Amino acid sequence: MPTSPIHRRPRIGLALGSGSARGWAHIGVLRALLEAGIKPDVVCGASVGAIVGAAYATGQLDRFEDWVRGMDRRAVMSLMDFNLSGGMLKGGRLVATLREHFDAQPIEALAMPFAAVATALHTGDEVWLRSGSVTDAVRASFALPGLFTPVWQDGRLLADGGLVNPVPVTLARALGADWVIAVDLNHDKLARYFHDTPASAPEPEPPEASAGWMQSLQQGLGALWPLGKDAPAPDAEPPLPSLLSVVSDSINVMQVRITRSRMAGDPPEAVVAPRLAHMALLDFHRAAEAIDAGRAATREILPQLAELGLISPPAAPAPPAPNPPSA
């Protein structure tokens, strides 16, 4: 007798994109998916997506989220070990903290497939880090040029994975995912330069708070650009942005273009797109806001995930009970 085919649940992959401080939104994405009954079988990430993906893959998401939510500006600054070659920050303090959160076991010993994307600077190759130390793989993946120093691994100088694959859908499929949910943190960055901040976005921080934050960073970098200039004349050209803003915005433009091209060639089954264009590169102290945005954006696509059969559609409301006959 012929046997009927065995149907299995598709393996769900989660591709967590790059986006610096906006990356804390990945925590909200994971929370919303788990609350809806969707447990990713495979997780991979680029840059900050690799950090959050590692927290999930190692089973440390709860403890990691507690740490992230407790960060203020002072805590962020305490992780910055300023450097004069290769990048503004060495990253040693951050790596030491990440080692405390991630298990010491290697990637290949984790309970689920995990990998991080990095870029080989000397060749431009996309590098998939699928074995060895979790923390070392994450460190290579978030080495944003100009900000963090690149790192040597296996004879290659590795930098941020977002340079070549900002939302690594292809890597999720290579790890065995049948369906991929991609999280794109940069989709609305270009629109920020041409449109006003959406009404739903939070109020910007007071100028004195922002100035204090940037002043601390600028002093730590050795005052690479001047402070306290006189206000420009009314008919003068707008002032140029800071060095950090120019580097950050340039990388954002590049990553948006690369993401669109890569997703056109290998489209994911669903895309989560948190609205976080108003967040700056180093706004790591705004974790609660980013996590909420990730959760909200994920809930918006739950109907699409229901159509894919990943979750049960919401039950239709029961019809009203008929009125009893009048006496």
Side-chain angles (χ1 to χ4, degrees), residues 3 8 17 33 38 48 71 73 85-86 97 109 118 121 128 157 175 195 216 218 246 270 293 298 311:
T3 58
R8 64 173 178 85
L33 290 175
I38 300 174
V48 69
M71 295 179 69
R73 289 188 182 86
S85 63
T97 302
L121 279 183
W128 292 352
L157 188 61
L175 291 174
H195 302 286
S216 298
Q218 290 163 347
V246 171
T298 305
I311 57 176

Side-chain angles (χ1 to χ4, degrees), residues 149-326:
T149 58
V151 295
W152 285 102
Q153 284 192 24
D154 299 326
R156 298 173 297 191
L157 188 61
L158 302 182
D160 197 291
L163 298 176
V164 289
N165 199 352
V167 186
V169 175
T170 49
L171 177 53
R173 298 201 194 281
L175 291 174
D178 299 308
W179 290 349
V180 178
I181 301 172
V183 185
D184 181 6
L185 301 177
N186 299 310
H187 75 108
D188 59 345
K189 289 298 290 184
L190 293 187
R192 179 176 69 87
Y193 305 121
F194 304 107
H195 302 286
D196 294 332
T197 301
S200 59
E203 290 290 330
E205 293 183 296
E208 61 271 16
S210 178
W213 165 244
M214 287 307 299
Q215 185 174 7
S216 298
L217 179 59
Q218 290 163 347
Q219 289 172 347
L221 295 176
L224 292 181
W225 53 91
L227 295 170
K229 285 188 174 181
D230 295 335
D235 57 347
E237 292 183 355
L240 292 175
S242 69
L243 170 63
L244 197 60
S245 293
V246 171
V247 172
S248 171
D249 291 345
S250 299
I251 291 175
N252 286 334
V253 170
M254 176 195 68
Q255 291 188 345
V256 169
R257 299 301 187 189
I258 293 174
T259 299
R260 290 177 180 176
S261 175
R262 297 290 299 252
M263 283 193 180
D266 187 5
E269 278 63 37
V271 178
V272 181
R275 300 177 184 88
L276 289 168
H278 56 282
M279 284 188 64
L281 179 75
L282 297 177
D283 281 351
F284 290 102
H285 59 288
R286 300 170 70 176
E289 177 184 335
I291 292 171
D292 288 346
R295 189 188 298 267
T298 305
R299 287 174 174 169
E300 289 179 4
I301 71 160
L302 290 182
Q304 179 183 351
L305 299 181
E307 292 179 2
L308 292 172
L310 298 183
I311 57 176
S312 300
N323 294 327
S326 57

